[in-house]
Amino acid sequence: MLKGISPLISPELLKVMAEMGHGDELLIADAHFPGHTLSNQVIRADGIPADQLLKAIIPLFELDAYAPPLIMMSPSEGDELDPGVERRYREALFGEESGLDICREERFAFYQRAQKAFAVVMSGEVAKYGNIILKKGVTPVH
C-alpha cells in the first residue's frame, strides 16, 4: 500500500498511468465493452464501478488542457442515455463543481478511438454507455 493512493488503483494501473505521456488516452470501460478485442493493453478492475475508479484516478491524473479530455460514447440510433451515468462520472471527477464538458462520439468512432488508447481498464460498471476516455495532460511541476 502507498499513502494517498486509493486501494482501487492496482499496481498495474498505477504503472500504466505513470508511463502515459501528454495526449495519451486511458479508457475506463464498462463490463460490456470488447476491451480484449480492441486493445493489447487491458487492465482488469472487475467489480469496481467506473465512478469509483474515476474518483480514485483523478487525484493522480492531469486532464489535457489543450484538447477535449473527456469522451463518452453516443447512444445508437433509437437508444437513450441514462443521464445518471454522466452525472455520477461528473461527481466523481469534479465533486460539486460543474467541471469540463464531456464530448460524445458515435459508437464505431469510439471503438476506433479505443483501439488507439494507451490502455483499457475493464471496470465492473454495468450501466449502458458507461465507457469514458480520459486524455492525459501535462502534469504540473511543484
Side-chain angles (χ1 to χ4, degrees):
M1 296 294 295
L2 296 172
K3 291 168 57 175
I5 297 177
S6 168
L8 299 181
I9 304 289
S10 68
E12 184 181 11
L13 179 53
L14 186 61
K15 177 184 180 291
V16 163
M17 290 191 310
E19 291 172 341
M20 292 174 69
H22 179 222
D24 283 338
E25 296 182 344
L26 181 66
L27 168 55
I28 309 302
D30 64 32
H32 312 286
F33 194 81
H36 290 279
T37 300
L38 298 176
S39 179
N40 291 324
Q41 181 144 266
V42 176
I43 299 166
R44 302 299 305 193
D46 300 299
I48 304 172
D51 60 330
Q52 289 181 25
L53 274 175
L54 290 169
K55 190 171 186 173
I57 288 169
I58 202 63
L60 309 173
F61 194 95
E62 189 71 25
L63 294 173
D64 199 329
Y66 303 106
L70 301 170
I71 301 97
M72 291 183 75
M73 189 184 294
S74 295
S76 296
E77 188 174 330
D79 213 351
E80 293 182 16
L81 292 176
D82 174 355
V85 175
E86 185 174 324
R87 191 175 321 117
R88 283 191 299 114
Y89 291 7
R90 285 184 167 288
E91 176 69 26
L93 291 166
F94 307 115
E96 297 294 320
E97 301 173 28
S98 63
L100 302 167
D101 287 335
I102 296 177
C103 297
R104 295 276 178 179
E105 282 195 358
E106 183 271 333
R107 179 176 158 209
F108 293 106
F110 191 92
Y111 286 160
Q112 286 180 329
R113 190 172 191 146
Q115 288 179 313
K116 298 174 190 168
F118 193 87
V120 173
V121 179
M122 295 298 300
S123 76
E125 183 61 55
V126 294
K128 217 156 116 178
Y129 301 108
N131 309 296
I132 186 167
I133 293 172
L134 309 176
K135 183 181 276 291
K136 190 171 185 185
V138 176
T139 305
V141 178
H142 297 283

